[in-house]
Short mmCIF file of all heavy atoms in Angstrom, two decimals:
data_model
loop_
_atom_site.label_atom_id
_atom_site.label_comp_id
_atom_site.label_asym_id
_atom_site.label_seq_id
_atom_site.Cartn_x
_atom_site.Cartn_y
_atom_site.Cartn_z
N TYR A 277 -7.11 20.55 -2.88
CA TYR A 277 -6.35 21.69 -3.40
C TYR A 277 -7.26 22.90 -3.58
O TYR A 277 -6.94 24.02 -3.15
CB TYR A 277 -5.68 21.30 -4.72
CG TYR A 277 -4.95 22.45 -5.36
CD1 TYR A 277 -3.73 22.90 -4.85
CD2 TYR A 277 -5.49 23.10 -6.48
CE1 TYR A 277 -3.06 23.97 -5.44
CE2 TYR A 277 -4.83 24.17 -7.07
CZ TYR A 277 -3.62 24.60 -6.55
OH TYR A 277 -2.96 25.66 -7.12
N GLN A 278 -8.40 22.68 -4.20
CA GLN A 278 -9.33 23.80 -4.44
C GLN A 278 -9.79 24.42 -3.13
O GLN A 278 -9.92 25.63 -3.00
CB GLN A 278 -10.54 23.31 -5.25
CG GLN A 278 -10.20 23.03 -6.71
CD GLN A 278 -11.33 22.33 -7.43
OE1 GLN A 278 -12.19 21.71 -6.83
NE2 GLN A 278 -11.32 22.44 -8.76
N GLN A 279 -10.05 23.56 -2.15
CA GLN A 279 -10.49 24.06 -0.85
C GLN A 279 -9.39 24.91 -0.20
O GLN A 279 -9.68 25.94 0.42
CB GLN A 279 -10.85 22.89 0.06
CG GLN A 279 -12.15 22.20 -0.33
CD GLN A 279 -13.35 23.10 -0.11
OE1 GLN A 279 -13.66 23.45 1.03
NE2 GLN A 279 -13.99 23.52 -1.18
N ALA A 280 -8.15 24.46 -0.34
CA ALA A 280 -7.05 25.24 0.23
C ALA A 280 -6.95 26.61 -0.45
O ALA A 280 -6.79 27.64 0.23
CB ALA A 280 -5.73 24.47 0.08
N ILE A 281 -7.07 26.61 -1.75
CA ILE A 281 -6.92 27.87 -2.49
C ILE A 281 -8.04 28.86 -2.13
O ILE A 281 -7.78 30.03 -1.84
CB ILE A 281 -6.90 27.60 -4.02
CG1 ILE A 281 -5.67 26.77 -4.38
CG2 ILE A 281 -6.95 28.90 -4.81
CD1 ILE A 281 -4.34 27.41 -4.04
N VAL A 282 -9.30 28.39 -2.15
CA VAL A 282 -10.39 29.34 -1.90
C VAL A 282 -10.38 29.85 -0.46
O VAL A 282 -10.87 30.94 -0.18
CB VAL A 282 -11.78 28.75 -2.25
CG1 VAL A 282 -11.88 28.40 -3.71
CG2 VAL A 282 -12.13 27.56 -1.38
N ALA A 283 -9.80 29.06 0.44
CA ALA A 283 -9.79 29.49 1.84
C ALA A 283 -8.53 30.26 2.22
O ALA A 283 -8.46 30.84 3.31
CB ALA A 283 -9.93 28.28 2.76
N SER A 284 -7.54 30.26 1.32
CA SER A 284 -6.23 30.79 1.71
C SER A 284 -6.30 32.26 2.11
O SER A 284 -5.56 32.70 2.98
CB SER A 284 -5.23 30.59 0.58
OG SER A 284 -5.67 31.25 -0.59
N ARG A 285 -7.21 33.00 1.53
CA ARG A 285 -7.36 34.41 1.87
C ARG A 285 -7.91 34.58 3.28
O ARG A 285 -7.81 35.63 3.89
CB ARG A 285 -8.33 35.05 0.87
CG ARG A 285 -7.86 36.34 0.26
CD ARG A 285 -8.65 36.77 -0.95
NE ARG A 285 -9.99 36.28 -1.12
CZ ARG A 285 -11.10 36.95 -0.79
NH1 ARG A 285 -11.03 38.13 -0.23
NH2 ARG A 285 -12.29 36.45 -1.02
N TRP A 286 -8.55 33.52 3.77
CA TRP A 286 -9.26 33.61 5.05
C TRP A 286 -8.66 32.70 6.11
O TRP A 286 -9.29 32.42 7.12
CB TRP A 286 -10.72 33.21 4.84
CG TRP A 286 -11.49 34.07 3.90
CD1 TRP A 286 -11.69 33.87 2.58
CD2 TRP A 286 -12.14 35.30 4.22
NE1 TRP A 286 -12.45 34.88 2.04
CE2 TRP A 286 -12.74 35.78 3.03
CE3 TRP A 286 -12.28 36.06 5.39
CZ2 TRP A 286 -13.46 36.96 2.98
CZ3 TRP A 286 -13.01 37.22 5.33
CH2 TRP A 286 -13.59 37.67 4.15
N THR B 303 -11.09 23.17 6.12
CA THR B 303 -12.09 23.08 5.06
C THR B 303 -11.79 21.88 4.17
O THR B 303 -10.63 21.56 3.92
CB THR B 303 -12.14 24.39 4.25
OG1 THR B 303 -13.15 24.26 3.24
CG2 THR B 303 -10.80 24.71 3.58
N PRO B 379 -19.32 24.37 -3.45
CA PRO B 379 -18.31 24.17 -2.40
C PRO B 379 -17.21 25.23 -2.39
O PRO B 379 -16.69 25.58 -1.33
CB PRO B 379 -17.74 22.79 -2.71
CG PRO B 379 -18.84 22.07 -3.42
CD PRO B 379 -19.56 23.13 -4.21
N ASN B 380 -16.89 25.74 -3.54
CA ASN B 380 -15.83 26.75 -3.60
C ASN B 380 -16.33 28.16 -3.30
O ASN B 380 -15.56 29.12 -3.31
CB ASN B 380 -15.14 26.72 -4.96
CG ASN B 380 -14.39 25.41 -5.16
OD1 ASN B 380 -13.93 24.80 -4.20
ND2 ASN B 380 -14.32 24.96 -6.40
N ALA B 381 -17.63 28.28 -3.05
CA ALA B 381 -18.19 29.61 -2.80
C ALA B 381 -18.61 29.80 -1.34
O ALA B 381 -19.04 30.89 -0.96
CB ALA B 381 -19.41 29.82 -3.71
N VAL B 383 -16.98 29.90 1.60
CA VAL B 383 -16.21 30.83 2.44
C VAL B 383 -16.56 32.28 2.11
O VAL B 383 -16.82 33.09 3.01
CB VAL B 383 -14.69 30.57 2.26
CG1 VAL B 383 -13.88 31.63 3.01
CG2 VAL B 383 -14.33 29.18 2.77
N ASP B 384 -16.62 32.58 0.82
CA ASP B 384 -16.91 33.96 0.43
C ASP B 384 -18.36 34.35 0.71
O ASP B 384 -18.68 35.53 0.80
CB ASP B 384 -16.59 34.16 -1.05
CG ASP B 384 -15.09 34.26 -1.29
OD1 ASP B 384 -14.39 34.73 -0.37
OD2 ASP B 384 -14.62 33.86 -2.37
#
Side-chain angles (χ1 to χ4, degrees):
Chain A
Y277 176 74
Q278 287 170 338
Q279 288 292 295
I281 295 300
V282 299
S284 59
R285 228 166 23 98
W286 299 94
Chain B
T303 181
N380 294 330
V383 174
D384 284 331

